[in-house]
Amino acid sequence: MQIGIVGGTGPAGRGLAARAARAGHQVLLGSRDAERAVAVAEGLSAAQSVSVAGCANADAVEAELVVAATPWDALVSTMQPLATSLEGKVVVSMANALVKEGREMVAVYPARGSMAAQLQAALPRSYVTAALHHLPAAKMEDLTSELEADVLVCGDSADARAVTCEVISSIDGLRAIEVGSLAQAGPIEAFTAVCITINIRHKVHSTLRLGGI
Amino acid sequence: MQIGIVGGTGPAGRGLAARAARAGHQVLLGSRDAERAVAVAEGLSAAQSVSVAGCANADAVEAELVVAATPWDALVSTMQPLATSLEGKVVVSMANALVKEGREMVAVYPARGSMAAQLQAALPRSYVTAALHHLPAAKMEDLTSELEADVLVCGDSADARAVTCEVISSIDGLRAIEVGSLAQAGPIEAFTAVCITINIRHKVHSTLRLGGI
């Protein structure tokens, strides 16, 4: 599938781009600054032996499936101007609203309950899902690193959830687990604070696994 | 250790009581209604071949370590009248503020960010930790059922976190993972909505595991 990653030059975007490209997807890595996107995509492609193309965010959203990987506080302001191109599309939100407090990350609560809900409100004609929050970015980007992680997926459209799960499960080492509606996005996003705080305290790159399923 | 479970006659309390008793702890299972507590403790002891004693909540809080296992909306009203007995003690909150919406559980957000923070405010002279949220109650109570689950522990007192972790890790199949301050309790509690919604959708009793730690 063709996958566009808006705000793809950060750690979350790069890691997803590398893994999705290795899985055979055609990846468009977008940035506000197209030149920077091209440079990051070339560096990533060379380092991880994959083929990722860099482009402007406005070009990345032409892909079949779009992933928003911007910093959380730039999510709505980056995506809303692209709303027309995103009409009728599945848009996957990776955002977590977190702030650093001492040696912990703490969750902050968006007014609509989650960043994914903020995005859905900004893109009423798109099908927003929330996914890919709890992955260790460093391990994602290094394709020599073995990953075995569960990815929780939620959203209000059953079709959009299914497509999101399908793409995620096509990536080696990731298992998509469908949770439910966008009402689940708040707890899923906020739980990232717990995962990162554990990583800081225990000096690890933890991954989320669910047993018994 | 002597462990008192306030509101211990529900599924969460019974499961913890059975597992803690098998691990060699002296368990006082409390209820508002002491007669009911005695009946439940006797039934549990017979069914699971353990020794659990039933008593009034006011007697359960005389234990060295106290666990609050009431329904979340009865947590503060049950615990606050016991504040004097709980002074200086570690009090473990298992509460999750959740409501059912169709086939999903959704998280609701307590005014202070978590039920554990509500409890800490009601018991300013106790050391509140939050733990034991994501365990499948049915598997906990059935001692023939194999469990392999991680338990996330947070709280503002490092000593209280350490004691809580020690007790949890003494229980077969449970691994305690120290997260951080009580600021982590909100996401930990809310994430229970995700776990239960997954269980409903996929008809499983899932357990939380973290890889890489």
Side-chain angles (χ1 to χ4, degrees), chain A residues 5-200:
Chain A
I5 307 180
V6 176
T9 58
R14 292 197 310 266
L16 175 65
R19 299 257 163 190
R22 188 173 66 173
H25 298 291
Q26 186 190 342
V27 178
L28 299 174
L29 189 147
S31 169
R32 281 173 302 179
D33 177 348
E35 279 182 38
R36 179 165 153 67
V38 169
V40 168
E42 284 177 359
L44 186 66
S45 297
Q48 303 298 330
S49 306
V50 291
S51 172
V52 171
C55 61
N57 282 335
D59 294 321
V61 296
E62 297 303 325
E64 278 175 85
L65 179 108
V66 174
V67 178
T70 67
W72 68 269
D73 49 357
L75 179 69
V76 169
S77 61
T78 304
M79 301 301 286
Q80 199 155 34
L82 305 167
T84 307
S85 301
L86 291 168
E87 276 184 23
K89 287 191 180 176
V90 176
V91 180
V92 184
S93 169
M94 299 179 71
N96 314 289
L98 308 177
V99 293
K100 192 115 201 270
E101 276 190 7
R103 295 186 67 244
E104 298 191 5
M105 293 300 279
V106 300
V108 294
Y109 293 96
R112 293 178 192 273
S114 66
M115 290 309 302
Q118 303 280 117
L119 185 62
Q120 182 65 82
L123 306 174
R125 296 189 178 178
S126 303
Y127 303 100
V128 171
T129 59
L132 299 160
H133 304 87
H134 308 124
L135 297 167
K139 287 183 96 169
M140 279 289 280
E141 185 171 344
D142 174 8
L143 293 185
T144 64
S145 179
E146 286 287 323
L147 255 187
E148 211 180 343
D150 287 337
V151 175
L152 306 178
V153 176
C154 69
D156 284 340
S157 155
D159 288 348
R161 289 196 305 264
V163 169
T164 305
C165 286
E166 194 186 314
V167 169
I168 290 166
S169 291
S170 73
I171 296 175
D172 243 22
L174 301 187
R175 177 175 68 157
I177 297 180
E178 198 175 325
V179 181
S181 74
L182 217 53
Q184 303 299 327
I188 289 172
E189 293 176 8
F191 195 69
T192 313
V194 175
C195 296
I196 299 177
T197 300
I198 287 172
N199 290 349
I200 295 170

Side-chain angles (χ1 to χ4, degrees), chain B residues 145-183:
Chain B
S145 178
E146 286 288 322
L147 254 188
E148 210 179 343
D150 288 337
V151 175
L152 305 178
V153 176
C154 69
D156 284 340
S157 155
D159 288 349
R161 289 197 305 265
V163 169
T164 305
C165 285
E166 195 186 313
V167 169
I168 289 167
S169 291
S170 73
I171 296 175
D172 244 22
L174 301 187
R175 176 175 69 156
I177 297 181
E178 198 174 325
V179 182
S181 74
L182 216 54

Side-chain angles (χ1 to χ4, degrees), chain B residues 75-183:
Chain B
L75 179 69
V76 169
S77 61
T78 305
M79 300 301 284
Q80 199 155 33
L82 306 167
T84 307
S85 301
L86 291 167
E87 276 183 22
K89 286 190 180 175
V90 176
V91 180
V92 184
S93 169
M94 300 179 70
N96 314 291
L98 307 178
V99 294
K100 193 116 200 269
E101 277 190 6
R103 296 186 66 244
E104 298 191 5
M105 294 299 280
V106 300
V108 293
Y109 293 97
R112 293 178 192 272
S114 65
M115 289 310 301
Q118 304 280 115
L119 185 61
Q120 182 65 81
L123 305 174
R125 298 190 177 176
S126 302
Y127 303 100
V128 171
T129 60
L132 299 160
H133 303 87
H134 308 124
L135 297 167
K139 285 183 97 169
M140 280 290 279
E141 185 172 343
D142 173 9
L143 293 185
T144 64
S145 178
E146 286 288 322
L147 254 188
E148 210 179 343
D150 288 337
V151 175
L152 305 178
V153 176
C154 69
D156 284 340
S157 155
D159 288 349
R161 289 197 305 265
V163 169
T164 305
C165 285
E166 195 186 313
V167 169
I168 289 167
S169 291
S170 73
I171 296 175
D172 244 22
L174 301 187
R175 176 175 69 156
I177 297 181
E178 198 174 325
V179 182
S181 74
L182 216 54

